[in-house]
Amino acid sequence: MKPTLTPDERFAGLCMNLAMEAAKQLVGRLQKLLRQSDPGDAALQNLLDGLTREHQADLGLLDGCRSLDGIPSAEPSGVTTALSKAFPSFPGRFGEGWLDRDVALYFAESLEEEASRFYRTLAECMSDTNARLTLDEQSWRAGGRLAKLRTVLL
């Protein structure tokens, strides 16, 4: 028999599911950015590959926090709508041909800025301490990657 969840636990679970879906889409978007960036620019390729790997590691951190059983799944159309508002760069296309360094870094910065804001907003809504701390950490990590992207010299 599944335990009865409090409204706070249900809300935290739904938010963590939303955060997990956002993290999955971030990884997919970064993988696409990596594939479309100039293959002759090894430094850019290495940077984007590193970002992708960091976001893949973030998936594990978020998944470790989703330990509540009985959390209902969010409606897929609702998840898509929420994420498209939180991440305006998700549905955008990169265009044709290879992306040069400036354009690829712009897209990577946009993703990190949106991720930091998204996780921070979710964290501020949490009464569940574990979920709040996990989302705060995700926001901090995305903010750190954003700062790195803004100062990196390739």
Side-chain angles (χ1 to χ4, degrees), residues 28-116:
R29 195 74 173 143
L30 284 166
Q31 288 171 334
K32 185 175 182 179
L33 182 59
L34 178 60
R35 284 190 306 271
Q36 279 199 248
S37 66
D38 181 2
D41 189 339
L44 177 62
Q45 291 285 311
N46 288 335
L47 178 69
L48 294 175
D49 183 57
L51 282 175
T52 302
R53 290 178 191 273
E54 287 182 43
H55 277 279
Q56 288 169 332
D58 289 351
L59 282 169
L61 294 172
L62 286 168
D63 197 39
C65 187
R66 295 186 327 153
S67 60
L68 296 173
D69 289 330
I71 302 293
S73 295
E75 190 67 34
S77 63
V79 170
T80 301
T81 300
L83 292 181
S84 68
K85 290 182 182 193
F87 293 89
S89 64
F90 270 4
R93 297 185 57 195
F94 294 131
E96 300 297 323
W98 301 121
L99 299 177
D100 68 20
R101 181 177 292 185
D102 290 337
V103 173
L105 288 175
Y106 170 78
F107 279 120
E109 284 181 25
S110 296
L111 288 170
E112 293 297 348
E113 185 172 359
E114 292 164 2
S116 180

Side-chain angles (χ1 to χ4, degrees), residues 109 112-113 140-152:
E109 284 181 25
E112 293 297 348
E113 185 172 359
W140 179 82
R141 290 168 60 92
R145 288 187 291 258
L146 176 61
K148 177 182 174 183
L149 285 169
R150 288 183 173 163
T151 59
V152 70

Side-chain angles (χ1 to χ4, degrees), residues 109-129:
E109 284 181 25
S110 296
L111 288 170
E112 293 297 348
E113 185 172 359
E114 292 164 2
S116 180
R117 187 177 333 121
F118 173 75
Y119 292 128
R120 184 178 57 250
T121 299
L122 282 182
E124 290 170 355
C125 298
M126 290 291 123
S127 60
D128 180 86
T129 303

